[in-house]
Amino acid sequence: MSLGFGCLGSAVAKPLAFSGIRLIDGRSAEPVEDAVVIVDGDRIVAAGPRTAVAVPSDAEIREMRGRTIMPGLISDHSHVGIVQGVDVGARNYTRENILAQLKAYTDRGVTTIMALGLNGAIMPEIRAEAHAGRIPGADLFGVDRGIGVPDGGPPQAMIRVSADQLFRPANAEEGREAVRAMKGRGTDMVKLWLGDFGGAVPAKMQPAVYEAVIDEAHRLGLRVAAHVHDLEDARAITKAGVDVLAHGVRDKPVDPDLIALLKAQNTWYIATLALDEATFVYADAPAWAQTPFVRTALAPDLKARFDDPAWQRETRASAKAQAARDSLAVNLANLKRLADTGVRIGFGTDSGAAPERVPGVAEHRELALMVQAGFTPMQALTTATSKAAELLGLSDRGTLEAGRRADLVILEADPSKDIANSVRIVEVWRAGQRQDGASPAPGASATSR
């Protein structure tokens, strides 16, 4: 059955066949050339080589030679409603701002996100509307509030959230109560913050608290993701049974003990490479940051900040920027080693948690950084589609195959040859509906050819 998007784009009233297109299905190691993808309603009914797919007699056929079709990207770690322009704080957690951010994701090919904590009371309502297809933009899943530390992480001076966006339990029982409250509001996952943010806060979450949180969550059928930075924190929380490391290990090389532990526990690992890069990279004004794909994603005050020579100089010279460069280098090496040894890798960026982590842009930077780490473009794309869906437990999306949601991105060029082509977006479709306002490739037409 087709979802009712109304003004979001033309509904697929009869089967639609994208013909002669290059197919990246989200699972295979190589693209399929001269493929056909058939969409009927909100679902894909067939996808494969032209010679193997029977096109229905009543289908509308769009010849798409030279273009590439792939699943919509899925972010396992993003945020909504925290940032507006360069401002961070609880006043930004509004319906209008969240809807604008969901649309910003989909405009750049990200069709599903997990808002991993710091969510306010309106999140369940917006999530339900997103699931039902009643609003434009990315489909939304989310951790309710999340669980931090009194006088600890996440630093209030950094996130500036209100009391109804974060629990800070003082002991194990309060941790269990927080999990039960989140369960009662229908959270999709539990998030906890472990660590001292490089000494920025005086206290870490105590083992008694995180062990209680994990135990209570598992008792209630919920999985737990943990904010980490350091190797020893990652080791401790994995031993305690956490399901997802929501950031990469960035202080030291991962060791055989952690690798074995992650594999034994089936723990997912999200590197969030783009988080540290975003801390310094806009001050370097790289060529990719000057493209329309990026510039049109920036609020005017954020664009002004990035263009300010004084800000650029101060940022480049800052200790924070150097620490981020160091963290990124460690993170890149650790991600490749973990992937090579068979650890389960998810996809996320922490986009939306700070002004420079730009929704929709950060995800394409993550792809580029994964390739820099040593992934092939196809490995990076598979991680950002089918693997990211698997981490979230979503069996209805992440690949282009019969029965899956028609969440797809049409590109002007082939990202399997050059991952930079992932930004050359012509069209974005979510649940069989073309999304208006997708960021086009320069000179690209959104019409069939």
Side-chain angles (χ1 to χ4, degrees):
M1 183 177 72
S2 177
L3 297 177
F5 277 72
C7 65
L8 303 193
S10 300
V12 179
K14 59 182 179 179
L16 175 61
F18 298 100
S19 181
I21 202 163
R22 179 182 301 106
L23 169 63
I24 294 175
D25 65 12
R27 201 182 294 281
S28 302
E30 297 293 338
V32 177
E33 300 291 342
D34 195 20
V36 176
V37 176
I38 299 174
V39 174
D40 193 356
D42 64 351
R43 298 283 153 173
I44 296 165
V45 296
R50 184 196 293 268
T51 55
V53 175
V55 178
S57 59
D58 62 338
E60 175 188 343
I61 299 174
R62 296 182 64 193
E63 288 295 336
M64 306 290 283
R65 291 187 184 277
R67 294 195 169 165
T68 300
I69 192 167
M70 58 175 274
L73 300 178
I74 297 171
S75 175
D76 297 323
H77 185 169
S78 292
H79 294 274
V80 294
I82 296 173
V83 173
Q84 190 160 24
V86 298
D87 183 64
V88 177
R91 58 186 165 274
N92 300 324
Y93 206 88
T94 66
R95 177 183 177 84
E96 179 183 25
N97 192 33
I98 292 169
L99 294 189
Q101 290 172 354
L102 293 177
K103 187 174 186 302
Y105 281 111
T106 298
D107 283 354
R108 286 164 178 76
V110 184
T111 52
T112 300
I113 71 161
M114 165 66 87
L116 205 64
L118 308 177
N119 292 300
I122 60 174
M123 200 279 284
E125 172 188 329
I126 296 174
R127 178 182 58 186
E129 292 181 67
H131 289 349
R134 294 197 298 270
I135 55 176
D139 198 7
L140 176 64
F141 294 82
V143 166
D144 174 64
R145 297 182 190 181
I147 299 174
V149 181
D151 300 318
Q156 179 62 15
M158 177 190 301
I159 57 171
R160 303 172 192 163
V161 296
S162 62
D164 72 348
Q165 290 177 264
L166 182 66
F167 291 102
R168 294 190 185 270
N171 53 51
E173 184 50 40
E174 288 185 5
R176 290 182 183 275
E177 290 173 0
V179 173
R180 291 193 289 268
M182 293 168 69
K183 173 71 173 182
R185 284 192 292 272
T187 192
D188 293 306
M189 195 179 283
V190 170
K191 165 81 173 287
L192 64 83
W193 281 262
L194 179 64
D196 62 3
F197 284 74
V201 293
K204 291 184 177 184
M205 184 175 287
Q206 293 300 304
V209 177
Y210 65 67
E211 288 168 1
V213 166
I214 294 169
D215 179 71
E216 190 70 14
H218 288 174
R219 188 183 71 81
L220 295 174
L222 295 169
R223 294 181 299 154
V224 183
H227 172 108
V228 296
H229 182 283
D230 296 349
L231 175 65
E232 294 309 320
D233 286 341
R235 193 189 323 276
I237 201 72
T238 303
K239 285 182 178 178
V242 81
D243 302 281
V244 181
L245 295 182
H247 295 284
V249 171
R250 290 164 280 166
D251 67 327
K252 297 176 183 177
V254 293
D255 56 29
D257 175 71
L258 180 64
I259 293 169
L261 189 60
L262 291 169
K263 292 174 72 174
Q265 299 274 53
N266 257 341
T267 306
W268 285 92
Y269 185 94
I270 307 172
T272 62
L273 302 165
L275 182 162
D276 284 310
E277 187 199 51
T279 302
F280 62 83
V281 76
Y282 288 102
D284 296 338
W288 61 259
Q290 311 312 312
T291 61
F293 182 85
V294 175
R295 298 289 286 180
T296 57
L298 306 180
D301 48 357
L302 184 58
K303 190 183 301 182
R305 172 182 286 183
F306 289 164
D307 291 345
D308 180 8
W311 177 86
Q312 292 174 354
R313 288 192 301 271
E314 291 167 7
T315 299
R316 288 195 299 267
S318 68
K320 182 179 180 181
Q322 186 55 53
R325 291 180 192 273
D326 294 343
S327 288
L328 177 58
V330 175
N331 205 0
L332 288 163
N334 282 341
L335 174 60
K336 183 62 164 63
R337 185 176 184 193
L338 291 170
D340 286 348
T341 54
V343 171
R344 298 201 294 178
I345 306 298
F347 183 79
T349 65
D350 208 14
S351 53
E356 64 273 10
R357 302 175 203 166
V358 182
V361 173
E363 286 67 32
H364 292 272
R365 289 307 306 156
E366 191 77 14
L367 291 172
L369 289 166
M370 292 173 76
V371 171
Q372 182 180 326
F375 283 56
T376 68
M378 287 295 283
Q379 287 171 335
L381 292 168
T382 298
T383 303
T385 54
S386 62
K387 295 300 182 184
E390 185 182 346
L391 185 151
L392 295 180
L394 300 176
S395 61
D396 65 341
R397 67 197 74 190
T399 61
L400 300 186
E401 57 186 322
R404 300 298 174 103
R405 279 169 53 112
D407 291 354
L408 52 90
V409 180
I410 298 174
L411 302 170
E412 189 181 37
D414 182 1
S416 75
K417 302 299 184 188
D418 182 353
I419 198 62
N421 289 333
S422 71
V423 307
R424 299 182 67 180
I425 296 170
V426 177
E427 296 177 13
V428 179
W429 293 65
R430 185 167 82 84
Q433 299 285 340
R434 183 174 56 80
Q435 303 293 287
D436 292 339
S439 177
S445 167
T447 61
S448 59
R449 64 179 186 184

